Amino acid sequence: MSRPTAAGTTRRLVSAALALAVAPLISSCVDSRTDPPPPPVAVTAEELYGTWHGWEGSSLTLKPGAKAETTKLDGQEFAFDDGWRMTGTGTWSMQEPGAYRGGNTVGNGSVIRLEAAPAANAATSVDGADATPPVGTPDTAASPDPMDAASRTAPPPARATWALGVTKEKNGKLRLFFLTSDPDVRDTYYLTKDGAGA
């Protein structure tokens, strides 16, 4: 039986120590379910009126009378993986801070509930009223990967819903947000308002 060499023993000890040190780091990178949602922000409906721009030309226009228009708005959470973008009309409502009971995906501040149907279905839109065609908006948002938006060509569903949280940037500017794909990964889709100051 051969005796282990000092170099071989040292190598095994270093390998074992590295494995023990790296294991917790790997596991903590995968599971982000415990990440807290953004701090709660309370807003009034008047602060939300206007057009909000998001990723690769997407926009959401919130109007008085609970009317909404969407342009290339991607689906929320797992619906994002279906590859469709909604251009159409619908309705919206606002829930007061603490009223949302859908988990920690949009925080516990003011939450916007949006329901929309594609422009092709506008005559029978979700609010049952005649709908106006969506307003086109310029492509002002930078895409993290331009090829992704170009490949999102699946037809949207007949109706889709979103729950959008409200947060503030460091400069006080409001942003709407929702999560895309698996909510555990916490990929966030932001929309910012035209002409929004502080």
Side-chain angles (χ1 to χ4, degrees):
M1 182 162 141
S2 65
R3 290 182 62 201
T5 64
T9 301
T10 303
R11 230 185 335 250
R12 282 192 294 279
L13 288 173
V14 169
S15 295
L18 282 173
L20 289 173
V22 172
L25 296 175
I26 293 172
S27 64
S28 67
C29 292
V30 174
D31 188 354
S32 59
R33 283 178 272 193
T34 58
D35 287 355
V41 174
V43 294
T44 64
E46 289 76 19
E47 290 176 281
L48 298 174
Y49 297 155
T51 300
W52 301 77
H53 292 283
W55 177 72
E56 199 59 29
S58 66
S59 69
L60 168 62
T61 301
L62 302 175
K63 299 178 176 185
K67 294 185 186 292
E69 296 176 351
T70 63
T71 302
K72 299 181 185 176
L73 188 63
D74 296 279
Q76 183 171 7
E77 296 179 5
F78 289 110
F80 181 84
D81 298 336
D82 294 337
W84 53 263
R85 305 189 89 192
M86 178 72 74
T87 297
T89 58
T91 59
W92 71 281
S93 62
M94 185 178 70
Q95 293 180 302
E96 296 300 323
Y100 181 72
R101 299 288 179 244
N104 74 348
T105 60
V106 294
N108 57 2
S110 296
V111 174
I112 298 162
R113 184 179 184 286
L114 169 67
E115 188 170 348
N121 297 346
T124 56
S125 67
V126 293
D127 61 2
D130 289 338
T132 56
V135 175
T137 56
D139 185 359
T140 59
S143 168
D145 182 356
M147 295 306 293
D148 286 348
S151 67
R152 301 184 66 71
T153 59
R159 238 173 233 187
T161 60
W162 292 259
L164 296 97
V166 181
T167 189
K168 281 188 180 179
E169 296 178 355
K170 289 181 182 179
N171 66 5
K173 189 175 182 178
L174 292 175
R175 292 197 300 179
L176 305 182
F177 72 94
F178 59 88
L179 300 182
T180 60
S181 296
D182 184 347
D184 292 344
V185 177
R186 303 196 73 76
D187 286 334
T188 308
Y189 192 108
Y190 288 104
L191 297 120
T192 55
K193 189 175 177 186
D194 285 348

